[in-house]
Amino acid sequence: MTIVKLDSVESTNKYCEALDLAQVEDFTCYWALEQTSGIGQRGNHWEAESGKNLTFSLVLHPTFLPAERQFKLTQALSLALIDFLSPFTFHLSPSIKWPNDIYISGHKICGTLVSTRLQGTQIASAVCGIGLNINQMIFPDWVPHPTSLALLTGKDYKLDQLLEVLLGCIKKRYLELQSGQNLEPEYLEHLMNLGIPIHYIYIGENIIATITGIDPYGHLLLTTADGRRLCCGMKEISLLA
């Protein structure tokens, strides 16, 4: 496991994607103290105060995974973050907001973004970007429902120590995935709003629907109040604000 510390980059994922990933050792972590243009899901900006949080990308070579099973890697990362956060949050259980954001008591503490390169039908490499709020206490007004470890616990943390612990959690889940262990049941245990009727916007339509599971490709499965069964990609559905 190698950690490369960067003072400031536009985005750690962009930094990694400019590398010859075939020459990068498996499980190499690129950690930036500052990201000037961090990237979140759906192309959104990821807001992180310089020197306060863990913003990094991990290069993996999950050649054992076929391209159509990329979501299994997302599941492993999400569960590793749950493993990492649980000891800090006492009675507040971390949960996964589909597909891969981590929330605690209705507030977002972490986001991930995975991009892959293929070789034939298999995944040759994956860049796994993670933004985890640690010591940041104040967030811009436009950031929806943020939190951090410092806000939750009232403590200040050493980022380098936490990064090593988190990488250990990721490696454990990654090895479970590599060994063929099915992580989906645990992922569903921590999935926000599973089995609960919620208001959504589905392709422009206001609906009430209940999450029933995830398909093998990572699509969200829901049943509407009028009995329709939906299989949704990330850009097709959103929570009604």
Side-chain angles (χ1 to χ4, degrees):
M1 187 186 304
T2 301
I3 299 175
V4 179
K5 194 173 181 179
L6 307 166
D7 289 328
S8 179
V9 295
E10 182 179 358
S11 141
T12 55
N13 266 33
K14 286 185 177 179
Y15 181 92
C16 289
E17 287 166 5
L19 302 173
D20 180 359
L21 295 181
Q23 302 303 314
V24 177
E25 183 181 352
D26 195 31
F27 233 85
T28 299
C29 172
Y30 293 87
W31 170 32
L33 295 179
E34 178 185 51
Q35 285 191 130
T36 58
S37 186
I39 304 171
Q41 285 288 1
R42 307 174 193 250
N44 294 330
H45 175 71
W46 179 262
E47 170 64 30
E49 186 178 347
S50 176
K52 293 287 188 178
N53 305 302
L54 286 176
T55 49
F56 65 94
S57 292
L58 185 63
V59 176
L60 300 173
H61 297 288
T63 54
F64 55 90
L65 276 180
E68 69 270 17
R69 294 296 182 262
Q70 174 183 314
F71 192 71
K72 289 183 177 292
L73 184 56
T74 294
Q75 289 178 333
L77 290 171
S78 298
L79 288 173
L81 286 158
I82 296 289
D83 294 341
F84 170 79
L85 288 166
S86 292
F88 294 98
T89 54
F90 309 109
H91 61 288
L92 301 174
S93 299
S95 57
I96 304 164
K97 182 182 177 185
W98 176 83
N100 52 10
D101 288 336
I102 307 299
Y103 276 64
I104 297 176
S105 192
H107 292 77
K108 183 174 177 178
I109 194 169
C110 182
T112 67
L113 182 64
V114 178
S115 61
T116 58
R117 295 181 185 178
L118 307 181
Q119 185 170 11
T121 60
Q122 301 298 114
I123 299 175
S125 61
V127 175
C128 307
I130 294 177
L132 176 59
N133 299 331
I134 302 294
N135 292 322
Q136 187 165 342
M137 301 291 287
I138 300 173
F139 293 84
D141 292 340
W142 57 266
V143 178
H145 310 298
T147 192
S148 67
L149 274 188
L151 284 171
L152 289 166
T153 66
K155 299 178 181 179
D156 192 76
Y157 296 90
K158 292 185 178 180
L159 296 179
D160 54 346
Q161 293 180 359
L162 291 193
L163 178 59
E164 290 192 10
V165 175
L166 175 53
L167 290 175
C169 292
I170 294 173
K171 190 158 193 177
K172 174 180 177 291
R173 290 295 186 171
Y174 184 68
L175 291 175
E176 288 176 353
L177 183 64
Q178 191 173 28
S179 71
Q181 185 167 330
N182 181 15
L183 301 181
E184 183 172 327
E186 276 192 87
Y187 177 89
L188 291 176
E189 281 179 20
H190 296 284
L191 188 62
M192 278 179 64
N193 300 325
L194 181 69
I196 302 172
I198 299 286
H199 284 85
Y200 297 94
I201 297 176
Y202 171 64
I203 316 181
E205 178 187 0
N206 188 339
I207 64 170
I208 297 175
T210 302
I211 297 174
T212 58
I214 305 289
D215 83 355
Y217 306 101
H219 298 119
L220 192 63
L221 302 177
L222 305 99
T223 299
T224 66
D226 60 5
R228 284 182 294 161
R229 294 184 179 181
L230 305 179
C231 180
C232 306
M234 188 170 58
K235 295 181 180 181
E236 295 176 315
I237 193 162
S238 61
L239 275 170
L240 186 64

